[in-house]
Amino acid sequence: MTVSEDVCAEAAGVKVVSTTTADTMAVGTAAQELHLKRGEFAIAVHLGLIRLIVRQDGGRPRVGHDELDRLRAQEGFPEALRARVRTVGTAKGAQQLGISPDRFTRLARAGCFTPITFYLNRYRAIVWLYLADELAGFAARESRLLVGRSPAWLLGRLEGGTDCRARKWRSRRVERLLSLTEDPWARGAVLAETLDPVQLAEVIDDPYDRAYLARIRPEPAFGPTGPPLARETMAHLMRADEPDEMLWRRVSLIMELDNARETRPAPSPGGEWREFEPPGDGRAPEPDVCAPEPDVRADAGSVPADSAPDPASVSVPVPDHAAVPVLVVGSRYGSGPDSVHVPTGVAEPALGLLARIGLRRRVSKVTGRQRPGRGRAPYDT
Protein backbone atom coordinates (compact mmCIF):
# COMPACT_ATOMS: atom_id res chain seq x y z
CA MET A 1 0.00 0.00 0.00
CA THR A 2 1.46 3.31 -1.10
CA VAL A 3 0.01 6.61 0.07
CA SER A 4 0.77 9.59 -2.13
CA GLU A 5 2.40 12.51 -0.40
CA ASP A 6 -0.37 14.99 -1.25
CA VAL A 7 -2.28 13.53 1.70
CA CYS A 8 0.52 14.66 3.99
CA ALA A 9 0.91 18.25 2.76
CA GLU A 10 -1.27 21.00 4.18
CA ALA A 11 -3.11 23.87 2.55
CA ALA A 12 -0.93 26.89 3.19
CA GLY A 13 -0.98 30.32 1.60
CA VAL A 14 -4.77 30.53 1.78
CA LYS A 15 -6.45 33.92 1.94
CA VAL A 16 -10.15 34.82 2.04
CA VAL A 17 -11.34 37.09 -0.78
CA SER A 18 -14.62 38.05 -2.38
CA THR A 19 -14.42 36.74 -5.92
CA THR A 20 -16.58 34.86 -8.36
CA THR A 21 -16.17 31.25 -9.34
CA ALA A 22 -15.48 32.30 -12.93
CA ASP A 23 -12.27 34.04 -11.82
CA THR A 24 -10.91 30.88 -10.17
CA MET A 25 -10.44 27.19 -10.85
CA ALA A 26 -10.21 24.05 -8.74
CA VAL A 27 -6.83 23.01 -7.38
CA GLY A 28 -6.87 19.81 -9.42
CA THR A 29 -7.38 21.73 -12.64
CA ALA A 30 -4.71 24.25 -11.64
CA ALA A 31 -2.22 21.44 -11.02
CA GLN A 32 -2.80 20.13 -14.53
CA GLU A 33 -2.42 23.60 -16.02
CA LEU A 34 0.90 24.03 -14.20
CA HIS A 35 2.14 20.56 -15.23
CA LEU A 36 2.45 19.50 -11.59
CA LYS A 37 1.45 16.30 -9.84
CA ARG A 38 -0.83 16.48 -6.86
CA GLY A 39 2.04 16.00 -4.42
CA GLU A 40 4.19 18.60 -6.20
CA PHE A 41 1.31 21.08 -6.20
CA ALA A 42 0.74 20.58 -2.45
CA ILE A 43 4.44 21.14 -1.75
CA ALA A 44 4.42 24.29 -3.86
CA VAL A 45 1.51 25.57 -1.81
CA HIS A 46 3.35 24.70 1.41
CA LEU A 47 6.45 26.60 0.27
CA GLY A 48 4.39 29.65 -0.68
CA LEU A 49 5.08 29.31 -4.40
CA ILE A 50 1.36 29.08 -5.19
CA ARG A 51 -1.27 31.19 -3.41
CA LEU A 52 -4.73 29.75 -2.84
CA ILE A 53 -7.89 31.73 -2.26
CA VAL A 54 -11.12 30.91 -0.43
CA ARG A 55 -14.46 32.51 -1.09
CA GLN A 56 -16.19 34.30 1.76
CA ASP A 57 -19.16 31.94 1.55
CA GLY A 58 -16.88 28.97 2.19
CA GLY A 59 -15.90 26.02 0.07
CA ARG A 60 -12.69 24.34 -1.01
CA PRO A 61 -9.62 26.47 -1.76
CA ARG A 62 -9.26 27.55 -5.39
CA VAL A 63 -6.63 29.13 -7.60
CA GLY A 64 -7.15 32.41 -9.41
CA HIS A 65 -6.49 32.82 -13.11
CA ASP A 66 -4.17 35.73 -12.37
CA GLU A 67 -2.05 33.43 -10.18
CA LEU A 68 -1.68 30.98 -13.05
CA ASP A 69 -0.72 33.82 -15.41
CA ARG A 70 1.95 34.95 -12.91
CA LEU A 71 3.46 31.46 -12.68
CA ARG A 72 3.40 30.93 -16.43
CA ALA A 73 5.22 34.23 -16.96
CA GLN A 74 8.18 33.13 -14.83
CA GLU A 75 11.39 32.25 -16.61
CA GLY A 76 11.90 28.57 -17.30
CA PHE A 77 8.27 27.56 -16.69
CA PRO A 78 7.35 24.76 -16.04
CA GLU A 79 10.76 23.07 -15.56
CA ALA A 80 11.96 25.71 -13.08
CA LEU A 81 8.84 25.35 -10.94
CA ARG A 82 9.04 21.56 -10.93
CA ALA A 83 12.72 21.69 -9.99
CA ARG A 84 11.92 23.78 -6.90
CA VAL A 85 9.43 21.20 -5.62
CA ARG A 86 11.34 18.07 -6.63
CA THR A 87 11.75 15.66 -3.72
CA VAL A 88 14.09 12.73 -3.17
CA GLY A 89 14.13 9.85 -0.74
CA THR A 90 17.03 8.32 1.13
CA ALA A 91 18.56 6.47 -1.82
CA LYS A 92 18.41 9.33 -4.31
CA GLY A 93 19.34 11.86 -1.65
CA ALA A 94 22.46 9.90 -0.75
CA GLN A 95 23.34 9.64 -4.42
CA GLN A 96 22.95 13.38 -4.83
CA LEU A 97 25.25 14.10 -1.86
CA GLY A 98 27.73 11.42 -2.85
CA ILE A 99 27.47 9.47 0.41
CA SER A 100 26.11 6.11 1.47
CA PRO A 101 22.40 5.71 2.36
CA ASP A 102 23.41 4.78 5.92
CA ARG A 103 25.32 8.04 6.37
CA PHE A 104 22.43 9.97 4.84
CA THR A 105 20.03 8.42 7.36
CA ARG A 106 22.33 9.26 10.27
CA LEU A 107 22.59 12.88 9.15
CA ALA A 108 18.81 13.09 8.82
CA ARG A 109 18.21 11.53 12.25
CA ALA A 110 20.64 14.02 13.79
CA GLY A 111 18.63 16.92 12.33
CA CYS A 112 21.08 18.12 9.68
CA PHE A 113 18.25 18.61 7.16
CA THR A 114 14.47 18.73 7.42
CA PRO A 115 11.96 16.52 5.56
CA ILE A 116 9.36 18.31 3.47
CA THR A 117 6.78 15.50 3.43
CA PHE A 118 6.39 11.72 3.76
CA TYR A 119 4.39 8.75 2.54
CA LEU A 120 3.60 5.23 3.72
CA ASN A 121 5.02 2.31 1.77
CA ARG A 122 3.45 -1.10 1.32
CA TYR A 123 4.73 -2.15 4.74
CA ARG A 124 3.08 0.88 6.37
CA ALA A 125 6.46 2.36 7.19
CA ILE A 126 7.08 6.10 7.02
CA VAL A 127 9.29 7.16 4.11
CA TRP A 128 10.60 10.72 4.45
CA LEU A 129 11.13 12.93 1.42
CA TYR A 130 13.48 15.91 1.16
CA LEU A 131 13.73 18.86 -1.19
CA ALA A 132 16.54 18.36 -3.69
CA ASP A 133 17.33 22.10 -3.60
CA GLU A 134 17.79 22.03 0.18
CA LEU A 135 20.11 19.04 0.00
CA ALA A 136 22.25 20.86 -2.57
CA GLY A 137 22.46 23.85 -0.24
CA PHE A 138 23.42 21.62 2.68
CA ALA A 139 26.22 20.02 0.65
CA ALA A 140 27.59 23.48 -0.14
CA ARG A 141 27.47 24.67 3.48
CA GLU A 142 28.41 21.53 5.43
CA SER A 143 30.70 19.64 3.10
CA ARG A 144 32.86 18.50 6.06
CA LEU A 145 29.99 16.35 7.33
CA LEU A 146 29.91 14.37 4.11
CA VAL A 147 33.43 12.97 4.35
CA GLY A 148 35.68 11.64 7.08
CA ARG A 149 34.76 10.84 10.66
CA SER A 150 31.52 12.21 12.10
CA PRO A 151 31.95 14.90 14.78
CA ALA A 152 31.41 14.14 18.46
CA TRP A 153 28.15 16.09 18.74
CA LEU A 154 26.59 14.08 15.92
CA LEU A 155 27.74 10.76 17.39
CA GLY A 156 26.39 11.78 20.80
CA ARG A 157 22.95 12.44 19.36
CA LEU A 158 22.85 9.14 17.53
CA GLU A 159 24.06 7.14 20.53
CA GLY A 160 21.25 8.66 22.61
CA GLY A 161 18.66 7.40 20.11
CA THR A 162 17.78 10.83 18.77
CA ASP A 163 15.57 11.02 15.68
CA CYS A 164 14.82 14.62 14.74
CA ARG A 165 13.03 13.95 11.46
CA ALA A 166 9.45 14.00 12.75
CA ARG A 167 10.08 16.95 15.08
CA LYS A 168 11.78 19.07 12.43
CA TRP A 169 9.05 18.27 9.90
CA ARG A 170 6.41 19.16 12.48
CA SER A 171 8.11 22.43 13.45
CA ARG A 172 8.45 23.40 9.82
CA ARG A 173 4.78 22.80 9.14
CA VAL A 174 3.59 24.61 12.28
CA GLU A 175 5.78 27.66 11.72
CA ARG A 176 4.65 27.88 8.11
CA LEU A 177 0.96 27.82 9.06
CA LEU A 178 1.44 30.33 11.87
CA SER A 179 3.11 32.77 9.49
CA LEU A 180 0.06 32.80 7.21
CA THR A 181 -2.51 34.20 9.62
CA GLU A 182 -2.85 36.83 12.32
CA ASP A 183 -6.16 35.53 13.65
CA PRO A 184 -5.50 34.18 17.17
CA TRP A 185 -8.20 31.51 16.84
CA ALA A 186 -6.67 30.19 13.60
CA ARG A 187 -3.22 30.22 15.19
CA GLY A 188 -4.62 28.40 18.21
CA ALA A 189 -6.11 25.74 15.93
CA VAL A 190 -2.67 25.08 14.45
CA LEU A 191 -1.09 24.76 17.90
CA ALA A 192 -3.95 22.60 19.22
CA GLU A 193 -3.12 20.04 16.55
CA THR A 194 0.27 19.44 18.21
CA LEU A 195 -1.26 18.16 21.48
CA ASP A 196 -3.05 14.90 22.15
CA PRO A 197 -6.69 15.02 23.33
CA VAL A 198 -5.77 14.54 27.00
CA GLN A 199 -3.29 17.42 27.06
CA LEU A 200 -5.63 19.58 25.00
CA ALA A 201 -8.42 19.07 27.55
CA GLU A 202 -6.01 20.02 30.34
CA VAL A 203 -5.01 23.27 28.61
CA ILE A 204 -8.49 24.17 27.26
CA ASP A 205 -11.21 23.23 29.72
CA ASP A 206 -14.02 24.87 27.70
CA PRO A 207 -15.58 22.31 25.29
CA TYR A 208 -16.91 25.10 23.05
CA ASP A 209 -13.39 26.41 22.54
CA ARG A 210 -12.07 22.94 21.71
CA ALA A 211 -14.90 22.31 19.25
CA TYR A 212 -14.30 25.64 17.52
CA LEU A 213 -10.57 24.99 17.20
CA ALA A 214 -11.27 21.56 15.71
CA ARG A 215 -13.68 23.09 13.18
CA ILE A 216 -11.23 25.68 11.85
CA ARG A 217 -8.26 23.29 11.77
CA PRO A 218 -6.36 23.56 8.44
CA GLU A 219 -6.99 20.82 5.92
CA PRO A 220 -4.93 19.53 2.99
CA ALA A 221 -5.12 21.44 -0.28
CA PHE A 222 -7.04 18.62 -1.96
CA GLY A 223 -9.32 18.04 1.03
CA PRO A 224 -9.32 15.16 3.53
CA THR A 225 -8.52 12.50 0.93
CA GLY A 226 -6.60 9.27 1.25
CA PRO A 227 -7.08 6.16 3.40
CA PRO A 228 -7.82 6.52 7.12
CA LEU A 229 -4.42 5.06 8.02
CA ALA A 230 -2.64 7.93 6.29
CA ARG A 231 -4.76 10.53 8.10
CA GLU A 232 -4.13 8.79 11.43
CA THR A 233 -0.40 8.77 10.76
CA MET A 234 -0.53 12.45 9.87
CA ALA A 235 -2.32 13.28 13.13
CA HIS A 236 0.13 11.16 15.13
CA LEU A 237 3.19 12.82 13.62
CA MET A 238 1.74 16.26 14.26
CA ARG A 239 1.70 15.70 18.03
CA ALA A 240 4.68 16.73 20.12
CA ASP A 241 6.42 13.71 21.63
CA GLU A 242 9.22 15.20 23.73
CA PRO A 243 8.79 16.95 27.11
CA ASP A 244 10.41 20.24 26.11
CA GLU A 245 8.42 20.45 22.89
CA MET A 246 5.14 19.60 24.63
CA LEU A 247 5.80 22.28 27.24
CA TRP A 248 6.54 24.88 24.56
CA ARG A 249 3.39 24.01 22.60
CA ARG A 250 1.22 24.18 25.72
CA VAL A 251 2.56 27.59 26.69
CA SER A 252 2.16 28.90 23.12
CA LEU A 253 -1.42 27.61 22.92
CA ILE A 254 -2.36 29.24 26.23
CA MET A 255 -1.00 32.60 25.08
CA GLU A 256 -2.81 32.41 21.73
CA LEU A 257 -6.04 31.33 23.42
CA ASP A 258 -5.90 34.27 25.82
CA ASN A 259 -5.54 36.64 22.87
CA ALA A 260 -8.35 34.88 21.01
CA ARG A 261 -10.80 35.15 23.91
CA GLU A 262 -10.07 38.86 24.21
CA THR A 263 -10.79 39.27 20.49
CA ARG A 264 -14.05 37.29 20.41
CA PRO A 265 -15.52 34.28 22.23
CA ALA A 266 -16.01 30.92 20.57
CA PRO A 267 -19.45 30.42 18.98
CA SER A 268 -22.07 28.43 20.84
CA PRO A 269 -23.58 25.20 19.41
CA GLY A 270 -26.56 27.23 18.11
CA GLY A 271 -24.28 29.20 15.82
CA GLU A 272 -24.42 32.45 17.78
CA TRP A 273 -21.48 34.03 19.57
CA ARG A 274 -21.68 33.83 23.31
CA GLU A 275 -21.84 37.20 25.04
CA PHE A 276 -20.20 37.72 28.40
CA GLU A 277 -21.78 40.41 30.58
CA PRO A 278 -19.55 42.90 32.37
CA PRO A 279 -18.96 42.13 36.04
CA GLY A 280 -21.28 44.95 37.18
CA ASP A 281 -24.31 44.22 34.97
CA GLY A 282 -27.20 42.30 36.47
CA ARG A 283 -25.42 41.61 39.74
CA ALA A 284 -26.34 42.58 43.28
CA PRO A 285 -24.43 45.68 44.48
CA GLU A 286 -21.65 44.98 46.90
CA PRO A 287 -22.27 46.23 50.46
CA ASP A 288 -20.49 49.37 51.57
CA VAL A 289 -18.37 48.31 54.52
CA CYS A 290 -17.73 51.97 55.47
CA ALA A 291 -21.39 52.95 55.70
CA PRO A 292 -22.81 53.37 59.26
CA GLU A 293 -25.00 50.59 60.56
CA PRO A 294 -28.73 51.42 60.79
CA ASP A 295 -30.27 51.98 64.20
CA VAL A 296 -32.30 48.83 64.58
CA ARG A 297 -33.76 49.87 67.94
CA ALA A 298 -35.17 53.12 66.57
CA ASP A 299 -36.83 51.35 63.67
CA ALA A 300 -38.23 48.60 65.87
CA GLY A 301 -39.88 51.11 68.19
CA SER A 302 -41.90 52.69 65.40
CA VAL A 303 -43.39 49.43 64.12
CA PRO A 304 -46.20 47.73 66.06
CA ALA A 305 -45.35 44.26 67.29
CA ASP A 306 -48.56 42.74 65.95
CA SER A 307 -47.87 44.09 62.42
CA ALA A 308 -44.32 42.72 62.16
CA PRO A 309 -44.04 40.24 59.28
CA ASP A 310 -43.31 36.60 59.87
CA PRO A 311 -39.61 35.92 59.11
CA ALA A 312 -40.51 32.66 57.37
CA SER A 313 -42.84 34.46 54.94
CA VAL A 314 -40.41 37.19 53.93
CA SER A 315 -39.13 36.78 50.35
CA VAL A 316 -35.79 38.31 49.42
CA PRO A 317 -35.66 39.57 45.80
CA VAL A 318 -32.82 38.08 43.78
CA PRO A 319 -31.62 39.68 40.52
CA ASP A 320 -32.53 37.76 37.41
CA HIS A 321 -28.92 37.40 36.24
CA ALA A 322 -27.24 37.03 39.62
CA ALA A 323 -24.35 34.66 39.28
CA VAL A 324 -23.35 32.46 42.19
CA PRO A 325 -19.63 31.75 42.07
CA VAL A 326 -18.67 28.10 42.30
CA LEU A 327 -15.59 26.61 43.90
CA VAL A 328 -14.61 23.30 42.32
CA VAL A 329 -13.16 20.68 44.65
CA GLY A 330 -12.15 17.09 44.01
CA SER A 331 -10.77 17.01 40.46
CA ARG A 332 -7.33 18.26 39.65
CA TYR A 333 -8.54 20.45 36.82
CA GLY A 334 -12.09 21.06 38.00
CA SER A 335 -13.88 18.79 35.54
CA GLY A 336 -14.88 15.17 35.29
CA PRO A 337 -17.32 12.82 36.98
CA ASP A 338 -15.52 13.03 40.34
CA SER A 339 -15.86 16.80 40.63
CA VAL A 340 -17.97 18.24 43.45
CA HIS A 341 -19.33 21.75 42.93
CA VAL A 342 -19.77 23.64 46.19
CA PRO A 343 -21.42 27.09 45.90
CA THR A 344 -19.57 29.80 47.75
CA GLY A 345 -19.82 33.51 48.05
CA VAL A 346 -16.38 34.26 46.66
CA ALA A 347 -15.30 33.84 43.04
CA GLU A 348 -12.32 31.64 42.33
CA PRO A 349 -9.20 33.64 41.42
CA ALA A 350 -7.53 33.39 38.02
CA LEU A 351 -4.92 30.67 37.72
CA GLY A 352 -1.32 31.27 36.85
CA LEU A 353 0.42 30.08 33.71
CA LEU A 354 2.35 27.27 35.40
CA ALA A 355 -0.83 25.89 36.96
CA ARG A 356 -2.63 25.97 33.61
CA ILE A 357 0.04 23.96 31.83
CA GLY A 358 0.21 21.42 34.66
CA LEU A 359 3.60 22.25 36.16
CA ARG A 360 2.20 23.51 39.44
CA ARG A 361 -0.76 22.28 41.45
CA ARG A 362 -3.47 24.87 41.57
CA VAL A 363 -3.72 26.84 44.82
CA SER A 364 -6.95 28.50 45.90
CA LYS A 365 -6.47 31.94 47.39
CA VAL A 366 -9.86 31.63 49.08
CA THR A 367 -9.01 28.68 51.27
CA GLY A 368 -5.24 29.11 51.28
CA ARG A 369 -4.75 25.38 50.62
CA GLN A 370 -3.56 23.38 47.64
CA ARG A 371 -6.23 21.54 45.76
CA PRO A 372 -5.86 17.79 45.96
CA GLY A 373 -4.69 16.26 42.71
CA ARG A 374 -6.28 13.34 41.01
CA GLY A 375 -5.86 10.25 43.18
CA ARG A 376 -4.68 12.25 46.21
CA ALA A 377 -6.51 12.62 49.50
CA PRO A 378 -7.44 16.16 50.65
CA TYR A 379 -5.24 17.85 53.18
CA ASP A 380 -6.41 17.82 56.80
CA THR A 381 -7.84 21.08 58.06
Side-chain angles (χ1 to χ4, degrees):
M1 179 191 67
T2 302
V3 180
S4 58
E5 58 266 23
D6 67 288
V7 179
C8 311
E10 71 284 353
V14 179
K15 64 177 181 178
V16 180
V17 297
S18 57
T19 182
T20 60
T21 308
D23 299 332
T24 62
M25 64 178 61
V27 292
T29 305
Q32 296 178 0
E33 294 291 335
L34 297 175
H35 306 282
L36 297 176
K37 300 178 182 178
R38 291 169 63 96
E40 295 174 339
F41 184 90
I43 293 176
V45 172
H46 171 71
L47 297 176
L49 304 178
I50 301 177
R51 295 188 296 266
L52 303 184
I53 57 178
V54 176
R55 297 182 57 183
Q56 292 181 346
D57 55 356
R60 292 285 180 83
R62 301 177 66 86
V63 182
H65 291 287
D66 55 347
E67 181 68 10
L68 263 67
D69 296 338
R70 182 185 68 85
L71 295 172
R72 289 169 178 169
Q74 294 179 354
E75 184 179 358
F77 176 84
E79 288 78 11
L81 179 60
R82 297 192 64 178
R84 299 179 65 179
V85 297
R86 187 171 71 91
T87 59
V88 294
T90 300
K92 292 185 178 180
Q95 183 179 2
Q96 178 181 345
L97 297 180
I99 58 179
S100 64
D102 182 65
R103 192 183 188 108
F104 183 93
T105 302
R106 285 187 283 124
L107 291 174
R109 290 173 61 92
C112 295
F113 30 79
T114 305
I116 186 63
T117 185
F118 67 91
Y119 69 91
L120 302 180
N121 60 12
R122 67 182 66 181
Y123 305 105
R124 299 184 179 183
I126 299 175
V127 179
W128 296 103
L129 299 177
Y130 309 85
L131 285 176
D133 280 352
E134 292 186 354
L135 293 181
F138 171 81
R141 296 189 313 268
E142 305 290 345
S143 58
R144 64 182 183 277
L145 294 178
L146 304 179
V147 294
R149 183 178 177 84
S150 300
W153 63 267
L154 193 147
L155 295 176
R157 289 186 181 181
L158 297 177
E159 291 176 359
T162 302
D163 190 351
C164 300
R165 290 175 293 183
R167 178 169 181 172
K168 291 182 70 68
W169 169 84
R170 179 168 52 248
S171 299
R172 182 177 195 166
R173 181 180 188 270
V174 170
E175 295 303 324
R176 172 60 183 169
L177 292 177
L178 292 179
S179 65
L180 296 173
T181 179
E182 296 295 335
D183 181 33
W185 281 108
R187 295 172 62 89
V190 174
L191 295 172
E193 199 175 5
T194 62
L195 299 177
D196 58 66
V198 176
Q199 295 188 71
L200 189 61
E202 292 177 352
V203 176
I204 309 176
D205 54 358
D206 192 336
Y208 294 152
D209 292 347
R210 295 198 301 269
Y212 184 52
L213 293 177
R215 190 166 72 238
I216 63 177
R217 181 177 303 169
E219 293 185 355
F222 293 92
T225 58
L229 178 61
R231 296 195 294 267
E232 293 176 1
T233 305
M234 177 75 169
H236 176 73
L237 290 176
M238 273 301 301
R239 295 170 184 171
D241 55 0
E242 296 183 7
D244 60 332
E245 185 185 6
M246 289 187 289
L247 175 61
W248 172 249
R249 297 304 180 191
R250 289 169 70 111
V251 172
S252 301
L253 177 57
I254 289 174
M255 297 175 63
E256 291 293 345
L257 192 62
D258 290 342
N259 296 334
R261 287 168 173 169
E262 292 178 0
T263 303
R264 66 180 186 274
S268 62
E272 299 180 356
W273 297 92
R274 292 177 292 161
E275 299 293 341
F276 296 97
E277 299 180 356
D281 295 349
R283 298 178 182 270
E286 298 182 359
D288 187 1
V289 296
C290 300
E293 297 182 359
D295 192 352
V296 181
R297 292 175 299 177
D299 295 340
S302 59
V303 179
D306 55 354
S307 61
D310 186 5
S313 63
V314 176
S315 61
V316 180
V318 180
D320 295 337
H321 303 284
V324 180
V326 175
L327 178 63
V328 182
V329 181
S331 176
R332 179 181 180 184
Y333 299 104
S335 60
D338 56 345
S339 301
V340 179
H341 300 274
V342 182
T344 64
V346 183
E348 185 179 0
L351 299 175
L353 180 61
L354 293 180
R356 295 170 65 184
I357 62 178
L359 292 183
R360 178 181 298 173
R361 286 191 293 179
R362 304 183 178 188
V363 180
S364 174
K365 297 181 181 179
V366 179
T367 61
R369 298 178 301 172
Q370 286 185 333
R371 295 186 189 178
R374 188 173 303 169
R376 300 186 182 93
Y379 293 99
D380 296 332
T381 56

